[in-house]
Amino acid sequence: MKLAERTDADTTTGADDRRVVLEVDDLRVTFSRAGRRIHAVNGLSYRLHAGRMLAIIGESGSGKSVSVRALMGLLPPSAFVAGSARLAGTELVGMSEKEMRRIRGDEIAMVFQDPARSLNPTMSVGAQITEAIRTKSTIDRKSAAARAVELLKLVRLPAAERRFHEYPHQLSGGMRQRVMIAIALASNPKVLIADEATTALDVTTQAQIMELLVDLQDRLGTAVIMISHDLGLAASYADEVLVMYGGRAVEYAATDTLFRNVRMPYTKALLGAIPQLTTPPHSMLTVIGGHPPDLSALPPGCAFAPRCPRATARCAERPPLDEHEPGHRYACWHPVMPGDELETPAGGVPPEDSELDDAEQLHTEGHVTPPPTLLTAGVIPSEDRVPTKREQA
């Protein structure tokens, strides 16, 4: 199924014929530091269905990674986690470390941003995958090694039998990330979290890793949460997109719905900040003016109001994340409607250089076009680009 052919029945944040594997309700994460309380996540809710990919996007510091680390029980003791996160009916919030070790890896697994720091440089990759397998099962070492080679083949690592005996430093960044995915899949988890898993990779390898995740998602029925700041990846591969700002969800919809009808000014500003090949040479890059909010002193109303060109006195009251349109939730008193334009925030380029034309960028004969990246914006000619699996389907 092509991205543009998805329907709300397929990917809406509401009803879905696929079972829900993860239910997050009013998740809150607070850190205490130097007498201050930092509200890193402040009331996050979403549903994740089997075989679906949810992209959580936003600026650094918006609470994306903290929210998923809370699910994994990987936050420091200074973190206080409240709310609810039910994985296949099992409550994760408040679970002891002993119980979490039983869940972690078996039911929910995570692929981190930098595989070079996640892998043990003194152990061969085969030994590390074998260790992950034997930790969660009682099979003998020989059977675990055979299973490890199968996993390396599953993640499309070339010459899997030879790579099994090699060390992390002998592999490229993309190969190391494939090893990390193999380790994460060792126990066939229901949910796989990719936390900026492609950020440190070149654009071609990024596409390969994302294609691999989509293939595994389709073949194994694994639900995937993709944490990213790359809107192009989200548009190309995710089924649903949740935009975070200041620890809260500010827009949440099926991918095609969100990119066809951006409503939250913050999401619009993120799209406008994507570099364009059509921008005149030596022009200043478009930026979102101001600074992200201080999570220890969040304003009582909309956290984006100090940076928003559409803010009014009403924004002193916090807008709820409501379903204003079928399958489309957003938290804004002054949403961007068709034909509306955003003023360029301080520090950006003039509107004629920075304005993202939705009709040109996101609509092509009624189809959704992913926001431009190095891969899609013309650096690699579109006629030479290999279509994604979702585009080919």
Side-chain angles (χ1 to χ4, degrees):
M1 181 183 295
K2 291 183 180 179
L3 176 64
E5 294 174 347
R6 297 177 196 161
T7 64
D8 286 342
D10 295 322
T11 58
T12 182
T13 55
D16 194 311
D17 57 356
R18 295 171 179 259
R19 61 188 177 87
V20 175
V21 294
L22 179 64
E23 301 176 85
V24 177
D25 288 303
D26 196 29
L27 182 68
R28 298 173 183 271
V29 180
T30 305
F31 295 91
S32 296
R33 182 176 181 182
R36 297 190 306 163
R37 295 180 65 83
I38 301 172
H39 303 277
V41 181
N42 200 354
L44 182 64
S45 299
Y46 59 84
R47 300 289 183 272
L48 182 65
H49 295 80
R52 294 296 191 188
M53 181 181 295
L54 170 68
I56 302 180
I57 63 176
E59 292 176 293
S60 297
S62 60
K64 310 183 300 297
S65 294
V66 172
S67 69
V68 294
R69 287 173 182 263
L71 305 180
M72 294 287 294
L74 296 177
L75 294 177
S78 59
F80 175 76
V81 182
S84 175
R86 295 179 299 278
L87 176 63
T90 301
E91 181 61 63
L92 300 179
V93 175
M95 183 176 287
S96 68
E97 177 60 23
K98 182 178 180 180
E99 294 173 316
M100 183 58 72
R101 286 182 179 178
R102 179 176 53 83
I103 296 292
R104 194 186 297 137
D106 271 352
E107 305 291 332
I108 184 169
M110 193 167 184
V111 180
F112 296 94
Q113 177 175 343
D114 187 357
R117 298 179 60 183
S118 302
L119 293 170
N120 187 334
T122 67
M123 295 175 63
S124 68
V125 297
Q128 296 185 59
I129 301 174
T130 301
E131 182 181 64
I133 295 171
R134 299 194 69 198
T135 298
K136 296 294 183 178
S137 67
T138 57
I139 63 176
D140 59 71
R141 187 177 297 277
K142 183 177 180 180
S143 299
R147 171 61 177 160
V149 173
E150 290 178 4
L151 287 170
L152 290 176
K153 292 179 179 179
L154 182 65
V155 298
R156 305 178 195 166
L157 191 68
E161 291 83 357
R162 176 163 59 86
R163 303 296 183 187
F164 178 91
H165 300 285
E166 294 183 343
Y167 289 80
H169 73 273
Q170 296 175 280
L171 306 181
S172 67
M175 289 180 177
R176 287 194 290 263
Q177 198 61 284
R178 291 173 190 270
V179 172
M180 288 301 303
I181 295 173
I183 292 174
L185 294 174
S187 298
N188 296 322
K190 295 182 175 69
V191 176
L192 178 65
I193 300 171
D195 186 8
E196 301 277 9
T198 62
T199 299
L201 306 176
D202 64 82
V203 66
T204 303
T205 308
Q206 278 187 0
Q208 294 172 350
I209 294 298
M210 291 307 304
E211 287 294 326
L212 171 61
L213 290 176
V214 169
D215 181 57
L216 294 173
Q217 173 189 342
D218 293 339
R219 292 172 59 184
L220 304 178
T222 307
V224 179
I225 298 178
M226 178 179 73
I227 305 298
S228 181
H229 60 269
D230 190 327
L231 281 79
L233 287 180
S236 297
Y237 297 100
D239 296 294
E240 295 178 333
V241 177
L242 187 150
V243 183
M244 289 190 69
Y245 185 79
R248 300 184 179 115
V250 295
E251 191 160 11
Y252 181 25
T255 303
D256 60 341
T257 298
L258 188 142
F259 284 105
R260 285 181 191 274
N261 307 291
V262 174
R263 294 292 182 253
M264 179 65 190
Y266 173 62
T267 309
K268 181 77 171 182
L270 286 177
L271 287 168
I274 297 175
Q276 308 280 326
L277 286 182
T278 56
T279 301
H282 310 297
S283 297
M284 293 180 62
L285 294 176
T286 303
V287 299
I288 304 176
H291 301 280
D294 182 351
L295 297 179
S296 65
L298 288 170
C302 175
F304 187 61
R307 308 171 71 187
C308 181
R310 304 171 68 89
T312 66
R314 190 182 185 189
C315 298
E317 177 186 353
R318 189 176 78 181
L321 182 70
D322 287 339
E323 187 174 3
H324 299 279
E325 302 166 22
H328 195 165
R329 305 172 189 270
Y330 51 87
C332 186
W333 297 122
H334 308 291
V336 180
M337 304 306 291
D340 290 354
E341 293 185 357
L342 284 182
E343 298 177 7
T344 302
V349 299
E352 59 266 25
D353 290 336
S354 65
E355 182 64 26
L356 178 69
D357 187 339
D358 286 345
E360 294 180 3
Q361 297 295 337
L362 301 181
H363 292 250
T364 303
E365 299 179 354
H367 294 79
V368 175
T369 300
T373 62
L374 290 178
L375 187 62
T376 62
V379 173
I380 298 178
S382 58
E383 60 270 18
D384 296 334
R385 184 172 66 88
V386 177
T388 66
K389 283 188 174 294
R390 293 195 187 280
E391 293 170 339
Q392 294 173 356

